[in-house]
């Protein structure tokens, strides 16, 4: 008689500290090994695409904040660029720089949360308090700028809602001076920690082919060794005038595309964001911050697909207009959605504890999956 | 590769019959193809060396209720190897009787695995069936949900699992409670 083991169905979530919002996984396990991993999403579905069809263009802006609450500025920006392209709205140069500035600042705090929760998910609670401390400073800066600490509703069609307050750039500079050495501290503290590396190196490898097949985007795609960044390859706003490197997974430890490379990419990206921010501060031009038009917003019939690089990768808005005051259809394509769809493929065969590392490394945010 | 030369290559493979090239004034031009040719063309688009569309950026359902009641499935393709993009569209009639019988199109999840979840979402929201999908069920909404919310003529049912979804009733209850 052959020796057999029994499989068990294990329900993980929807309320599990590591699941970054409300996610549920149905696992068929054999001991500690996962045979089959089925993500179950939709707990945070708010019907954003349906809401978009029922509101005038400008009224949908606050909803994009809630699309990905960790990177509200980037979502604002993506939507604003889409409508501007469709309606031919000019943006003053100062506004472009302010937009890039807030987008990169938001990228930093989004990656901070990602790195902090990553460490927390695999058992190190302290780093999270450190990253949150830095994030708090940026939240204060944003509050000064637009009054919001999490959902900003700051970007407008044709500019931004408020000009920079007096002395904002100095205070931002002070934050950057403080923040840059912190990154080195994180490296000593987390990245080069032996236990942390043992836990992540070589775990849940996503090959470049898999990454393309599942349409992974942003840091997850680059961690698999594919050199692709919209900010550099299809520059929008003023990214074309700024100098920065695009970090690509190169396997300092382990292999390209494992959990550790996905973590490491985010630390690098924060470094590059700091570089972009410093250039923005140096180049910030004078001028109006909002090309506010008195005319009613008019979008000709037609369709347009615009994507921008948010912290969780490409954020695509597919807008179909029939000429009315409301969009005929607004499809939102997010990075977490495709990251979530690959979990079933990569997660099968892992240990249960490594699944937690995989989800954390993909930096999935549940509201962005469900929309 | 430019859009026009991609189009030429496509015509060489599946023939010029029934292809409609739409020059969009606003932004992105697209090619409408008959649904019978979709699968064959998709295999070619991914496999051909000069086209090499390695990612499916976006798959969207669209419902038009203008002169004709029809649904569209839109495929935004991108080639990271060659840095070019192309947009395909398939149009499906939606007759008043047995619409689910007509809203069927081949699944591309075997060609671009990314399509698997996007197709499930399109089914969830529009009721378009993708034939040949491994794991075809609703994605975002609960399995017992009635209807497909992004259809233009969708009406929310008034009760879901014994809970009212209308505002009037909730307001009535509140008014009663406050006396």
């Amino acid at each position: 008689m052959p020796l057999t083991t029994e499989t068990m169905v294990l329900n993980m979530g929807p309320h599990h500290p590591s699941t970054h919002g409300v996610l549920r996984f149905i696992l068929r396990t054999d001991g500690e090994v996962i045979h089959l991993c089925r993500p179950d999403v939709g707990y945070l579905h708010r019907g954003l695409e349906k809401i978009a069809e029922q509101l005038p263009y400008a009224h949908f802006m606050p909803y994009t904040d809630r699309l990905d609450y960790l990177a509200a500025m980037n979502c604002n920006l993506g939507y604003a660029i889409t409508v501007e392209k469709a309606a031919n709205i000019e943006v003053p140069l100062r506004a472009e720089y302010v937009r890039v500035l807030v987008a990169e600042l938001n990228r930093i705090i989004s990656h901070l949360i990602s790195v902090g929760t990553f460490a927390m998910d695999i058992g190190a609670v302290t780093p999270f308090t450190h990253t949150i401390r830095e994030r708090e400073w940026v939240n204060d800066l944003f509050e000064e700028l637009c009054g919001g600490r999490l959902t900003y509703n700051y970007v407008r069609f044709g500019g931004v809602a408020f000009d920079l307050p007096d002395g904002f750039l100095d205070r931002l500079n002070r934050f950057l001076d403080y923040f840059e050495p912190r990154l080195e501290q994180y490296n000593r503290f987390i990245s080069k920690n032996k236990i942390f590396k043992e836990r992540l190196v070589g775990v849940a490898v996503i090959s470049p082919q898999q990454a393309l097949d599942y349409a992974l985007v942003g840091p997850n795609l680059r961690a698999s060794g594919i050199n692709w960044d919209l900010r550099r390859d299809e520059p929008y706003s003023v990214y074309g005038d700024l100098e920065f490197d695009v970090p690509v997974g190169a396997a300092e430890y382990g292999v390209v595309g494992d959990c550790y490379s996905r973590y490491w990419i985010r630390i690098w990206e924060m470094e590059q964001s700091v570089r972009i921010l410093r250039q923005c501060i140096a180049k910030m031009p004078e001028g109006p911050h909002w090309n506010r038009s008195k005319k009613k917003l008019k979008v000709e019939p037609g369709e347009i697909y615009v994507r921008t690089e948010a912290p969780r990768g490409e954020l695509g808005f597919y807008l179909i207009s029939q000429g009315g005051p409301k969009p005929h259809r607004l499809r939102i394509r997010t990075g977490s959605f495709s990251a979530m769809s690959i979990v079933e493929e990569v997660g099968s065969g892992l240990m249960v504890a490594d699944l937690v590392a995989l989800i954390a490394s993909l930096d999935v945010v549940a509201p962005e999956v469900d929309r | 590769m430019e859009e026009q030369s991609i189009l030429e290559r496509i015509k060489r493979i599946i023939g010029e019959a029934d292809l409609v090239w739409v020059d969009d004034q606003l932004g992105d031009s697209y090619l409408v193809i008959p649904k019978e040719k979709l699968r064959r063309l998709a295999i070619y688009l991914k496999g051909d060396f000069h086209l090499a569309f390695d990612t499916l950026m976006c798959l969207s359902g669209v419902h038009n209720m203008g002169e004709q009641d029809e649904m569209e499935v839109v495929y935004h393709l991108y080639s990271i190897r060659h840095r070019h993009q192309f947009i395909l569209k398939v149009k499906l009639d939606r007759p008043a009787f047995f619409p689910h019988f007509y809203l069927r199109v081949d699944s591309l999840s075997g060609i671009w695995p990314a399509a698997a979840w996007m197709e499930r979402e399109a089914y969830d929201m529009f009721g378009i069936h993708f034939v040949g999908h491994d794991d075809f069920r609703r994605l975002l909404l609960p399995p017992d949900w009635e209807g497909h919310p992004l259809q233009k003529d969708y009406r929310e049912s008034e009760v879901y699992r014994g809970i009212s979804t209308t505002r009037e009733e909730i307001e009535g209850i509140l008014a009663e409670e406050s006396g």
Side-chain angles (χ1 to χ4, degrees):
Chain A
M1 196 183 135
L3 188 67
T4 55
T5 51
E6 217 173 297
T7 58
M8 179 179 80
V9 174
L10 182 69
N11 184 36
M12 186 173 154
H15 299 286
H16 186 279
S18 80
T19 48
H20 296 246
V22 195
L23 294 174
R24 174 169 169 240
F25 296 88
I26 304 158
L27 313 176
R28 190 181 300 145
T29 60
D30 179 0
E32 269 289 294
V33 180
I34 299 167
H35 275 197
L36 185 75
C37 161
R38 281 247 165 107
D40 178 16
V41 299
Y43 290 91
L44 291 172
H45 179 62
R46 293 143 294 164
L48 286 181
E49 291 175 9
K50 186 78 180 176
I51 292 171
E53 287 173 11
Q54 293 167 356
L55 292 176
Y57 288 96
H59 294 199
F60 188 63
M61 188 60 86
Y63 286 93
T64 59
D65 287 331
R66 278 82 181 165
L67 178 57
D68 175 0
Y69 50 64
L70 292 179
M73 285 291 187
N74 300 71
C75 299
N76 279 182
L77 181 58
Y79 180 61
I81 289 178
T82 312
V83 177
E84 279 158 11
K85 272 201 180 160
N88 274 327
I89 301 173
E90 292 279 318
V91 184
L93 192 63
R94 184 176 172 87
E96 292 279 25
Y97 272 95
V98 174
R99 284 169 168 204
V100 170
L101 188 136
V102 292
E104 291 304 317
L105 209 48
N106 209 159
R107 190 185 310 278
I108 287 179
I109 59 173
S110 169
H111 282 349
L112 275 176
I113 289 286
S114 156
V115 166
T117 52
F118 196 171
M120 191 164 72
D121 284 351
I122 62 169
V125 181
T126 322
F128 184 62
T129 60
H130 287 236
T131 56
I132 279 283
R133 179 186 62 194
E134 266 73 276
R135 180 171 181 262
E136 201 57 25
W137 192 328
V138 179
N139 278 351
D140 287 345
L141 285 174
F142 276 146
E143 188 178 7
E144 196 182 329
L145 191 61
C146 58
R149 292 173 66 83
L150 196 64
T151 49
Y152 310 112
N153 187 19
Y154 178 60
V155 183
R156 293 283 185 276
F157 305 144
V160 291
F162 310 103
D163 204 355
L164 300 177
D166 287 342
F168 181 84
L169 292 178
D170 296 334
R171 285 189 290 278
L172 178 60
N173 230 336
R174 215 162 62 224
F175 167 73
L176 295 179
D177 289 340
Y178 162 83
F179 180 68
E180 242 180 340
R182 290 290 147 193
L183 279 174
E184 191 45 45
Q185 198 190 29
Y186 292 150
N187 284 343
R188 288 211 310 277
F189 192 38
I190 326 173
S191 321
K192 293 181 181 163
N193 183 317
K194 187 150 191 305
I195 305 168
F196 191 76
K197 279 194 292 192
E198 291 277 308
R199 191 75 169 65
L200 299 177
V201 166
V203 170
V205 180
I206 297 175
S207 71
Q209 188 58 48
Q210 271 178 326
L212 286 177
D213 279 348
Y214 279 88
L216 284 195
V217 286
N220 298 332
L221 180 69
R222 292 192 281 278
S224 288
I226 288 169
N227 197 345
W228 169 255
D229 189 323
L230 277 173
R231 289 175 293 166
R232 183 198 60 196
D233 296 320
E234 281 181 9
Y236 53 91
S237 198
V238 286
Y239 279 110
D241 303 337
L242 300 168
E243 267 178 43
F244 58 96
D245 296 329
V246 175
V248 180
E252 278 73 18
Y253 310 101
V255 287
V256 172
D258 60 0
C259 285
Y260 191 81
S261 3
R262 283 192 288 278
Y263 161 80
W264 194 229
I265 285 279
R266 295 196 162 86
I267 294 278
W268 273 358
E269 283 200 355
M270 284 196 269
E271 241 174 73
Q272 294 305 320
S273 291
V274 171
R275 221 174 123 191
I276 296 175
L277 282 172
R278 288 206 190 278
Q279 292 175 46
C280 282
I281 295 172
K283 287 184 175 178
M284 183 63 69
E286 291 298 318
H289 67 280
W290 187 1
N291 171 20
R292 193 170 191 176
S293 116
K294 295 269 186 323
K295 278 185 298 184
K296 221 173 158 192
L297 183 75
K298 191 163 163 37
V299 178
E300 296 299 323
E303 55 179 77
I304 192 166
Y305 181 73
V306 178
R307 34 188 201 153
T308 55
E309 186 83 18
R312 275 160 205 81
E314 275 170 40
L315 178 70
F317 286 94
Y318 175 40
L319 174 72
I320 302 181
S321 156
Q322 289 189 337
K326 304 168 187 172
H328 176 61
R329 168 95 169 98
L330 184 77
R331 163 104 166 102
I332 308 165
R333 181 254 195 266
T334 58
S336 295
F337 186 83
S338 42
M340 206 55 207
S341 67
I342 204 173
V343 169
E344 186 167 348
E345 162 109 356
V346 179
S348 308
L350 293 179
M351 300 287 209
V352 175
D354 288 344
L355 178 68
V356 176
L358 171 66
I359 301 160
S361 76
L362 287 169
D363 193 14
V364 173
V365 170
E368 212 196 13
V369 180
D370 301 341
R371 299 186 301 281
Chain B
M1 211 185 270
E2 291 297 310
E3 256 172 2
Q4 285 306 322
S5 34
I6 295 172
L7 186 60
E8 287 307 310
R9 277 190 95 81
I10 289 174
K11 279 180 181 165
R12 239 181 288 157
I13 273 302
I14 57 168
E16 283 191 41
D18 304 329
L19 300 190
V20 185
W21 175 256
V22 181
D23 247 330
D24 197 273
Q25 296 304 310
L26 189 66
D28 308 324
S29 306
Y30 53 88
L31 180 70
V32 183
I33 59 165
K35 65 176 178 179
E36 294 78 23
K37 292 184 173 178
L38 175 70
R39 208 180 144 72
R40 195 165 142 233
L41 179 61
I43 293 172
Y44 178 72
L45 286 175
K46 191 180 180 192
D48 183 70
F49 178 80
H50 296 286
L51 299 177
F53 285 102
D54 38 28
T55 40
L56 176 68
M57 286 193 291
C58 187
L59 186 158
S60 341
V62 181
H63 186 194
N64 299 327
M65 278 191 76
E67 298 139 29
Q68 209 179 355
D69 194 352
E70 60 172 17
M71 296 236 178
E72 298 172 354
V73 186
V74 190
Y75 302 86
H76 286 80
L77 302 171
Y78 193 81
S79 167
I80 286 189
R81 190 197 284 171
H82 298 307
R83 314 257 145 121
H84 55 223
Q85 73 163 13
F86 199 73
I87 302 167
L88 281 183
K89 251 191 200 190
V90 175
K91 294 203 175 184
L92 308 167
D93 276 339
R94 183 167 171 265
F97 294 104
F98 303 115
H100 56 277
F101 191 75
Y102 294 88
L103 296 175
R104 274 168 194 273
V105 64
D106 280 332
S107 165
L108 299 186
S109 57
I111 300 163
W112 291 287
W117 271 38
M118 297 185 193
E119 283 171 354
R120 278 175 67 187
E121 194 193 342
Y123 165 65
D124 207 353
M125 298 300 161
F126 291 92
I128 301 167
H129 290 252
F130 292 87
V131 182
H133 192 292
D134 286 346
D135 181 22
F136 199 61
R137 44 202 173 97
R138 282 187 183 266
L139 180 69
L140 297 174
L141 298 176
D144 59 348
W145 193 266
E146 279 173 29
H148 302 279
L150 281 180
Q151 292 179 349
K152 294 282 175 191
D153 52 357
Y154 172 73
R155 285 278 162 94
E156 198 180 355
S157 68
E158 285 182 2
V159 177
Y160 176 65
R161 290 195 186 174
I163 305 166
S164 163
T165 58
T166 56
R167 187 153 289 192
E168 288 74 25
E169 188 161 326
I170 297 169
E171 276 164 2
I173 293 168
L174 288 178
E176 248 172 52
E177 275 177 0
S178 57

